[in-house]
Amino acid sequence: MEYKKELERLISDLKTNYLPSVSMDLVIFGFHDGQLKVLLLRWKETDDWCLPGGRIRHEENLETAAYRSLRERTGLSELFLQQFHTFGDVIRYKNYSREETLTKLGLPDEALKEFASRDVSVGYYALVEFAGVTPTPDFFAAECRWWDINQIPLLLFDHNDMITLALKTLRRQLSYQPIGYNLLPDKFTMPDLQQLYETILGQPLDRRNFQKRMLGYGILERLDERKTGGAHKAPYLYRFSKEKYEKALADEILFVG
């Protein structure tokens, strides 16, 4: 009974305060133990997963709504956020038919009228530090957790396509902008940074060329301390210069090959 009342309240709120037929979906990337991960939601009473997302309030800018939804799912407010595509196919039920999808969702008729109509979705990808995230499900989800990029299950709607395109866009970003400030801890080693790039690109990089290139961009500060708990000649720790990093993002002049 409590669930039904809350659902009725939510539907009324959506009809009154949110834009109809326009939504956003979020591909939230994190990096942990050498693996690139994506944050997914599992619908209540099902074993089916999808990307987090939401609708846009009448008084909100689109980007403001995306940041709000990210904050609700991760607990973080300062994130790298990039719009990467608008998904507007007439049929957006890819892995499962419309009928199969609606059956899986298990929503009552009044909810299906609101959620089963055609939506145009704006896709965003975000880069977050894994350790700082508190995965938080929304009203319709029973679970919110990380999945390895190589182990993503069949998702509802066209969300597998969204992840594939977001990853392609992220890889292209490496050709003109730095990556790492939002994915690595404050202090990291050069091997840590190289592992991140190799994981995103899906291919090895030459160690000397990579280090020379990264140092040449002027966005890294080498600290007077080394990584503890390793070999005798443990690697130095680095951190990003936030000011120089943000300038590099704005200038779009970097290239890693």
Side-chain angles (χ1 to χ4, degrees), residues 237-255:
L237 291 171
Y238 290 82
R239 67 183 171 200
F240 286 104
S241 167
K242 186 176 181 181
E243 181 179 343
K244 293 178 180 178
Y245 185 95
E246 290 178 347
K247 185 178 186 302
L249 282 177
D251 291 346
E252 297 187 352
I253 58 173
L254 298 183
F255 177 79

Side-chain angles (χ1 to χ4, degrees), residues 18 24 26 53-57 60-72 81 124:
Y18 289 78
M24 57 190 168
L26 310 172
R55 296 284 181 89
I56 301 98
R57 292 172 180 155
E60 279 184 316
N61 292 330
L62 179 58
E63 189 169 288
T64 303
Y67 274 113
R68 171 179 53 78
S69 187
L70 275 168
R71 186 172 60 252
E72 291 169 353
L81 179 69
Y124 283 89

Side-chain angles (χ1 to χ4, degrees), residues 66-111:
Y67 274 113
R68 171 179 53 78
S69 187
L70 275 168
R71 186 172 60 252
E72 291 169 353
R73 300 286 74 77
T74 67
L76 301 178
S77 56
E78 293 188 15
L79 303 165
F80 178 89
L81 179 69
Q82 181 74 51
Q83 185 180 140
F84 69 95
H85 193 70
T86 299
F87 297 84
D89 287 358
V90 174
I91 304 299
R92 293 186 55 212
Y93 299 89
K94 297 299 177 77
N95 295 323
Y96 306 101
S97 70
R98 182 179 185 276
E99 291 70 25
E100 287 176 313
T101 300
L102 299 183
T103 299
K104 285 175 176 291
L105 299 185
L107 296 174
D109 290 342
E110 63 267 27

Side-chain angles (χ1 to χ4, degrees), residues 1-223:
M1 183 63 71
E2 193 65 32
Y3 173 81
K4 185 176 181 180
K5 286 184 179 180
E6 182 60 22
L7 181 61
E8 291 173 349
R9 186 202 65 77
L10 178 61
I11 293 173
S12 176
D13 185 44
L14 284 171
K15 289 180 177 179
T16 304
N17 299 313
Y18 289 78
L19 296 177
S21 301
V22 180
S23 61
M24 57 190 168
D25 287 290
L26 310 172
V27 182
I28 305 173
F29 290 114
F31 185 68
H32 182 64
D33 286 344
Q35 296 176 332
L36 189 66
K37 297 181 179 291
V38 177
L39 200 63
L40 297 178
L41 296 174
R42 179 174 61 82
W43 280 74
K44 289 177 178 175
E45 307 299 327
T46 79
D47 293 322
D48 296 293
W49 297 80
C50 66
L51 290 169
R55 296 284 181 89
I56 301 98
R57 292 172 180 155
H58 287 297
E59 73 279 6
E60 279 184 316
N61 292 330
L62 179 58
E63 189 169 288
T64 303
Y67 274 113
R68 171 179 53 78
S69 187
L70 275 168
R71 186 172 60 252
E72 291 169 353
R73 300 286 74 77
T74 67
L76 301 178
S77 56
E78 293 188 15
L79 303 165
F80 178 89
L81 179 69
Q82 181 74 51
Q83 185 180 140
F84 69 95
H85 193 70
T86 299
F87 297 84
D89 287 358
V90 174
I91 304 299
R92 293 186 55 212
Y93 299 89
K94 297 299 177 77
N95 295 323
Y96 306 101
S97 70
R98 182 179 185 276
E99 291 70 25
E100 287 176 313
T101 300
L102 299 183
T103 299
K104 285 175 176 291
L105 299 185
L107 296 174
D109 290 342
E110 63 267 27
L112 288 178
K113 291 178 183 178
E114 181 64 27
F115 293 106
S117 60
R118 179 187 175 189
D119 264 9
V120 172
S121 180
V122 181
Y124 283 89
Y125 72 88
L127 308 178
V128 302
E129 185 184 344
F130 181 93
V133 172
T134 303
T136 305
D138 62 19
F139 175 78
F140 296 100
E143 185 179 1
C144 180
R145 71 173 173 90
W146 294 103
W147 283 76
D148 185 279
I149 191 69
N150 297 314
Q151 298 177 351
I152 302 296
L154 286 180
L155 303 179
L156 298 171
F157 314 111
D158 51 358
H159 290 186
N160 287 95
D161 292 346
M162 289 185 178
I163 293 174
T164 298
L165 185 54
L167 182 58
K168 288 182 179 179
T169 307
L170 177 59
R171 286 170 173 168
R172 286 197 299 268
Q173 185 193 338
L174 287 176
S175 70
Y176 61 89
Q177 287 183 326
I179 291 290
Y181 182 80
N182 308 85
L183 289 169
L184 292 172
D186 181 54
K187 299 177 183 180
F188 53 89
T189 66
M190 190 63 68
D192 291 335
L193 183 60
Q194 181 170 339
Q195 185 182 43
L196 170 63
Y197 272 65
E198 290 177 339
T199 300
I200 292 173
L201 292 171
Q203 64 185 42
L205 300 170
D206 180 80
R207 182 182 64 82
R208 291 186 179 181
N209 287 342
F210 178 81
Q211 180 168 324
K212 182 179 179 181
R213 238 177 236 279
M214 294 306 301
L215 293 177
Y217 297 148
I219 60 175
L220 297 176
E221 298 175 350
R222 196 181 83 171
L223 306 177

